[in-house]
Amino acid sequence: MAALASASGAGRLVEGEAVLGLLGFYDELDNHSGQPNGSIRDAARPVGEPDEADLVAYLDAGHVLIDVMEAGHDVITGSAHRHSPGCSSLVTDGTWLWRQDFPHYLETHHISLPETFLEHVRSLNYQMPAITVAQFAPHYDETMPLVGWASAVPWRSAATTLVPEPRAVTSKAQFDAAMQDQDRPHGGWGKRRKSRKS
C-alpha cells in the first residue's frame, strides 16, 4: 500500500523509488473502486490551472507505451470525446504514467493535479523529454501491476532511447466542431417539400 500511495503522488524517479507517478487511474474508469487516484468526481473542479492548455498539450505529446483498441466515453457526462478511441492506452513522460484519455478529463473537468507533476512539467517548459530505456524499464516493470497490467512486464524495447515524436491529436475545438457538423441536418430540410400524389 505504501508503494501505491507514493505512485499516486510523488512522481519523482530517484534512487530507491521504483514506481512512476500515476495520473487518471480513477475508480469510474475501471468499473471498480480502489484505483490509485480514487474517484474522478472528487478530483473534478470548476476551474483549472492558469496554464491548463499547456498541461493538456504536454499530456497529449506523451510516449504511447501500450496502444489499446477500444472506444470509451466520458464517465461523468456519458458523451464521446476526442480520446474515446483507445481511451485506456497508456502514455508516459518517463516519470509519470497516465491513460490516453486523461487530457480530456483535465481540459473538460479541470481535474486537480499533484503539485509535483505541475512542478515537473513547468520545469521542462512543457516539452516532452526523451526517455532512456535502461533507466525507465525498472520503473515501468514496478508500476504496471499497480494499474492492472502485470502481463505487460518486463519492459521490452529494441530502442535505447525513446524520442518524442509528433502525434496527430485532434484538439477539443476540432472534435467539438466535427460533432456539431455531424448533428447538423444535411440536404434541403429548410426547403418546403412538394406534396406526394396519392
Side-chain angles (χ1 to χ4, degrees):
M1 194 57 149
L4 193 59
S6 71
S8 62
R12 290 220 172 122
L13 297 182
V14 293
E15 201 65 41
E17 189 174 312
V19 294
L20 301 168
L22 301 176
L23 300 168
F25 294 92
Y26 296 109
D27 295 344
E28 296 87 349
L29 300 178
D30 202 24
N31 295 323
H32 62 80
S33 61
Q35 291 300 301
N37 299 125
S39 172
I40 195 168
R41 285 171 174 75
D42 295 340
R45 301 179 304 165
V47 180
E49 297 290 329
D51 56 350
E52 186 175 81
D54 292 323
L55 296 166
V56 168
Y58 179 85
L59 292 165
D60 276 339
H63 304 271
V64 177
L65 296 177
I66 297 177
D67 199 355
V68 179
M69 299 291 284
E70 67 175 347
H73 61 278
D74 184 309
V75 296
I76 295 174
T77 66
S79 304
H81 56 82
R82 68 188 184 98
H83 288 304
S84 287
C87 57
S88 66
S89 298
L90 298 182
V91 184
T92 192
D93 64 358
T95 302
W96 292 84
L97 180 74
W98 58 92
R99 288 171 48 109
Q100 185 170 288
D101 58 359
F102 186 65
H104 160 74
Y105 290 104
L106 180 59
E107 69 190 350
T108 305
H109 303 294
H110 316 297
I111 299 301
S112 58
L113 295 164
E115 195 59 41
T116 48
F117 173 75
L118 294 171
E119 290 169 6
H120 170 70
V121 176
R122 290 167 180 160
S123 74
L124 292 169
N125 199 28
Y126 312 99
Q127 299 300 307
M128 185 58 52
I131 297 173
T132 303
V133 171
Q135 292 172 352
F136 173 70
H139 303 293
Y140 171 92
D141 291 347
E142 290 295 321
T143 305
M144 296 311 283
L146 298 178
V147 295
W149 283 90
S151 62
V153 296
W155 171 262
R156 290 184 176 88
S157 176
T160 56
T161 305
L162 303 179
V163 178
E165 294 179 10
R167 286 195 288 138
V169 178
T170 302
S171 71
K172 185 175 186 322
Q174 291 169 324
F175 179 82
D176 291 345
M179 291 305 287
Q180 283 180 340
D181 285 348
Q182 214 173 40
D183 293 340
R184 198 171 287 141
H186 297 285
W189 284 16
K191 296 178 184 173
R192 199 162 190 202
R193 293 166 69 178
K194 290 183 182 177
S195 58
R196 291 185 181 167
K197 294 182 182 176
S198 16

